Amino acid sequence: MTSTRTTANSTPEDLFGRAIAARLNAGVHTVPHDISERLRAARMQALAQRKRELTHTVVVDSGGSALLGGRGWWQRALAVVPLLLLTFGLLTIGLTQEERRTAELAEVDAALLTDDLPPAAYTDPGFAQFLKANAAAAHQ
């Protein structure tokens, strides 16, 4: 006896499974008895496994109530919010660091341009030695 009952909550997978079951049940009388018994046992195992899977899909949401199945579309959309916040935070950090680097370079450029020494003096190896010697003398 086949069950052709469909509900409004049937998924395409459920409908496909029912169609296959109906097709297999149509030829059940032409199969030898030992094979049909093995198929019946396999069917019972599959149904038992399916029932175990259904009982293990209980999800508790943040409100404390239990939901069977998955989340609603709005809950999935809210799950993206942390990713968006992380992306926003990383972009903000990158822009802030870039602004700091630019400000530091501008400060160094302003110091070089307003100094009494020409910028070429800073690239002279003798001047670097002179600065080291003065720094050592100032610490003593």
Side-chain angles (χ1 to χ4, degrees), residues 5-26:
R5 149 181 81 114
T6 60
T7 63
N9 294 335
S10 294
T11 64
E13 292 86 6
D14 290 337
L15 296 174
F16 180 70
R18 287 187 183 121
I20 289 177
R23 179 82 171 157
L24 291 173
N25 283 336

Side-chain angles (χ1 to χ4, degrees), residues 20-92:
I20 289 177
R23 179 82 171 157
L24 291 173
N25 283 336
V28 74
H29 298 295
T30 61
V31 177
H33 179 68
D34 62 328
I35 294 175
S36 66
E37 283 302 308
R38 287 195 313 226
L39 289 173
R40 186 187 61 75
R43 183 182 304 143
M44 297 306 260
Q45 287 176 350
L47 288 174
Q49 177 66 27
R50 177 69 176 159
K51 286 180 184 177
R52 272 186 262 140
E53 288 174 2
L54 287 177
T55 58
H56 291 316
T57 59
V58 175
V59 178
V60 177
D61 67 351
S62 61
S65 62
L67 298 173
L68 288 177
R71 299 177 177 168
W73 67 269
W74 62 273
Q75 287 177 328
R76 285 189 219 128
L78 287 177
V80 176
V81 171
L83 180 63
L84 293 174
L85 289 175
L86 178 66
T87 304
F88 177 75
L90 290 174
L91 288 174
T92 303

